[in-house]
Amino acid sequence: MSVKKIVILFSGVGTNLQNIISKLHKKKIHSVTYEVVGAICNKKEAQGINICKKHHIPFTLIEHKTYNSREEFDKELVRQIQKFDPDITVLAGFMRILTSVFTKNIKAINLHPSILPLFKGENAIQRSFESDMKIGGVSVHFVSDELDGGNIILQECFQKEESQTLQSFQNKIKQLEFELLPKAIIKILKDK
Ligand code: GAR
């Protein structure tokens, strides 16, 4: 039996963290068992920390504010990730720009709430909602040196509705994220 180890990085509410735990943690899918072996967060007030506690997921807090440079923070992040020895590291709402200290050492994927390469960076949901585009969407991609720029693994879109509000647009994005991120993790790990 093959066990694949996942580390999750997050910064906020952690709904995607919860979704990965619900769908994959200790679950056997086509002879592969998935295990969330650890989670790392850069903000001590992040709500997602309670999700880790509730599900007994080993958790590490690395506050970026206490480091003098992005490189120093990334060095510690890499060190802590490597302790868990994961098969993949998943950025699920991890709001940090990462340097080559991270990308050279860690195989990671990122969830982004837009159809990349459109709307890279912050506030992607609002910018995508307010754009002239008739569709919105979600992407999962490999993490590279370029912000939201690595190779795309999976991507899905939906039609905007006439009566769509920012809230209902956000809900639709979330629904797609909950489907797409576990699918991407399985896609990468099942043949690894
Ligand atoms: C998600 O919508 C994710 O796509 C986004 O942060 C949210 C985290 O929500 N990530 C980015 O914008 C990365 N550039 P969550 O904490 O409830 O999972």
Side-chain angles (χ1 to χ4, degrees):
M1 189 190 68
S2 152
V3 176
K4 299 294 183 190
K5 294 184 279 180
I6 302 164
V7 164
I8 300 177
L9 310 187
F10 66 96
S11 301
V13 183
T15 60
N16 283 285
L17 165 74
Q18 174 64 66
N19 181 58
I20 295 167
I21 294 169
S22 305
K23 293 202 174 135
L24 298 183
H25 186 49
K26 299 197 175 199
K27 301 275 191 302
K28 190 175 175 183
I29 302 165
H30 303 305
S31 80
V32 176
T33 301
Y34 298 88
E35 192 167 339
V36 180
V37 291
I40 299 175
C41 176
N42 63 318
K43 289 191 174 172
K44 67 173 185 300
E45 66 279 10
Q47 290 177 51
I49 295 172
N50 292 325
I51 298 171
C52 297
K53 288 182 183 158
K54 185 172 160 206
H55 295 277
H56 309 290
I57 304 291
F59 164 76
T60 308
L61 177 68
I62 312 174
E63 285 191 282
H64 64 270
K65 285 189 213 156
T66 62
Y67 292 82
N68 288 328
S69 67
R70 288 193 183 279
E71 284 78 9
E72 275 180 40
F73 170 78
D74 284 0
K75 206 169 155 191
E76 180 59 11
L77 186 58
V78 167
R79 205 172 71 84
Q80 294 297 338
I81 292 171
Q82 285 174 341
K83 279 191 191 173
F84 291 116
D85 188 28
D87 293 288
I88 195 77
T89 297
V90 178
L91 278 61
F94 189 62
M95 303 306 194
R96 290 288 302 165
I97 293 173
L98 295 161
T99 67
S100 58
V101 173
F102 181 94
T103 54
K104 280 198 181 121
N105 289 292
I106 301 294
K107 182 175 183 184
I109 65 173
N110 179 45
L111 172 68
H112 190 73
S114 77
I115 307 163
L116 289 172
L118 299 171
F119 310 114
K120 290 179 179 179
E122 287 185 1
N123 299 321
I125 297 180
Q126 180 144 2
R127 288 186 289 127
S128 162
F129 174 72
E130 287 170 356
S131 78
D132 284 342
M133 289 183 65
K134 299 291 183 200
I135 54 174
V138 169
S139 308
V140 182
H141 64 93
F142 285 107
V143 175
S144 72
D145 279 357
E146 191 196 335
L147 176 68
D148 298 325
N151 287 348
I152 293 166
I153 301 156
L154 287 178
Q155 196 165 46
E156 260 178 50
C157 64
F158 60 91
Q159 290 290 329
K160 283 182 186 166
E161 287 160 18
E162 286 293 316
S163 61
Q164 195 116 50
T165 60
L166 178 58
Q167 186 59 55
S168 71
F169 185 77
Q170 237 160 1
N171 294 345
K172 186 70 197 170
I173 295 266
K174 190 106 308 183
Q175 190 189 324
L176 265 192
E177 289 186 340
F178 286 178
E179 284 169 30
L180 215 61
L181 187 54
K183 253 196 219 171
I185 296 170
I186 292 171
K187 185 176 155 82
I188 288 162
L189 292 185
K190 74 173 170 29
D191 304 320
K192 196 174 172 269

